[in-house]
Amino acid sequence: MSDDTTMSLLPLPSEYADLPKAEFMTPGPERDRLVRLILDGMKTATTALLIDYTECGDPLPRIGDRSVLVDSDGKSVAILTVTDVTVTRLADVTDRHAMAEGEGDTTSAQWLRTHEAYWNSAEYRSYFTDPTFPIDDDTLVVLEHFKVTERL
């Protein structure tokens, strides 16, 4: 008989070992809240600034890409599969996308206030070469939709 501690120490199944990690926010209560929303099927989308990808040299997600969702303890909890990706202007994010993020925002205006607060935080901006980059209606964002395809 195993408990949660034993389960979290088990290695990731070999077929998932090379998949990238899906880490929402930094470890802590906010990440764990988002992981619960994903596992409960409430959160099926996320958004990143395009500059996140260009600055790091990371490729944009593509439909069918898979990743391993991890919680604050680094435990692998699910496999996520990308179902849609769109690059659009910040001003063009819809209410529908805001609701798909599952974090309680029911309009794009509410969603924008929440996201701008995070994107304008000193901690977030400290990761960029030029932390003074502007965020306005024309800022490009990556809208990613996903589904849980397996719980681990």
Side-chain angles (χ1 to χ4, degrees), residues 41-56:
M42 299 295 295
K43 181 172 180 62
T44 59
T46 193
T47 305
L49 297 176
L50 182 60
I51 193 173
D52 278 335
Y53 291 94
T54 58
E55 180 106 355
C56 297

Side-chain angles (χ1 to χ4, degrees), residues 4-78:
D4 285 342
T5 305
T6 304
M7 292 299 288
S8 67
L9 298 177
L10 293 176
L12 192 60
S14 60
E15 65 265 30
Y16 303 133
D18 292 333
L19 294 180
K21 290 181 182 178
E23 299 174 291
F24 289 78
M25 303 292 286
T26 56
E30 186 62 14
R31 176 181 289 178
D32 291 333
R33 182 180 77 84
L34 296 178
V35 167
R36 281 190 304 279
L37 289 170
I38 292 167
L39 294 176
D40 291 344
M42 299 295 295
K43 181 172 180 62
T44 59
T46 193
T47 305
L49 297 176
L50 182 60
I51 193 173
D52 278 335
Y53 291 94
T54 58
E55 180 106 355
C56 297
D58 290 338
L60 292 179
R62 295 178 313 197
I63 294 172
D65 283 354
R66 298 183 311 156
S67 58
V68 180
L69 178 65
V70 297
D71 65 13
S72 288
D73 296 324
K75 179 182 175 187
S76 302
V77 296

